[in-house]
Amino acid sequence: MPTRRDDCLFCSIARQGAYVHQAKGFVAINDINPQAPVHILVLPEHHVDTFRDVAEFEAKETKRMLEFVAETAAKVGLTDYRVVVNVGATAGQTVFHLHWHILGGGPASREDVPAAVAIAEANE
Ligand code: AMP
Ligand code: ZN
């Protein structure tokens, strides 16, 4: 299985681009269509289509990827933020190269009440 695809937008960005943060095997870029005041995408250089295929990464690569997400958020000054991965077209995935959204810098779009608590209160 090749770790890079010639026809993949994020493979090409991972090879060359303007990065918010970069480390061996990973890059972080600003999202072209931000959904929050800070909206960054973390891309592994190693191509897999979706998070479903994350087992194709070596264990140390997976660990490093998660660390790189946290490092990137810290580097841009975020302490509170959301990390989102859309998995599959009907879940909103539009680019089929695994990537992690880091969203921060503003209020969350939903009330900050855990769903289970909200349901428990509704049943009282
Ligand atoms: P997803 O919908 O989860 O697959 O996320 C793909 C993201 O890539 C979207 O938020 C797009 O705005 C973003 N995007 C698409 N093309 C580019 C690009 N050339 N540079 C930066 N972000 C991009
Ligand atoms: Zn790719």
Side-chain angles (χ1 to χ4, degrees):
M1 165 75 71
T3 59
R4 194 159 94 185
R5 300 262 172 96
D6 288 339
D7 59 347
C8 171
L9 172 65
F10 282 0
C11 279
S12 110
I13 289 175
R15 278 201 296 279
Q16 189 181 352
Y19 304 130
V20 172
H21 185 38
Q22 183 175 19
K24 188 170 181 293
F26 303 96
V27 300
I29 60 171
N30 280 314
D31 196 292
I32 205 168
N33 182 24
Q35 303 297 311
V38 178
H39 187 169
I40 292 168
L41 302 175
V42 165
L43 320 176
E45 284 173 16
H46 179 159
H47 178 106
V48 298
D49 289 349
T50 80
F51 182 77
R52 282 184 222 116
D53 305 319
V54 74
E56 289 178 26
F57 286 76
E58 290 181 20
K60 68 176 184 209
E61 211 177 358
T62 308
K63 178 175 185 288
R64 186 67 197 111
M65 181 160 59
L66 292 177
E67 289 170 348
F68 184 79
V69 170
E71 270 175 29
T72 300
K75 185 178 176 188
V76 300
L78 293 175
T79 51
D80 294 14
Y81 53 90
R82 291 190 299 137
V83 176
V84 173
V85 181
N86 296 322
V87 188
T90 63
Q93 186 175 4
T94 57
V95 179
F96 284 80
H97 173 128
L98 172 63
H99 54 280
W100 304 71
H101 296 256
I102 300 173
L103 299 139
S109 61
R110 52 184 282 278
E111 267 190 88
D112 194 14
V113 177
V117 172
I119 290 164
E121 284 172 355
N123 289 340
E124 276 174 9

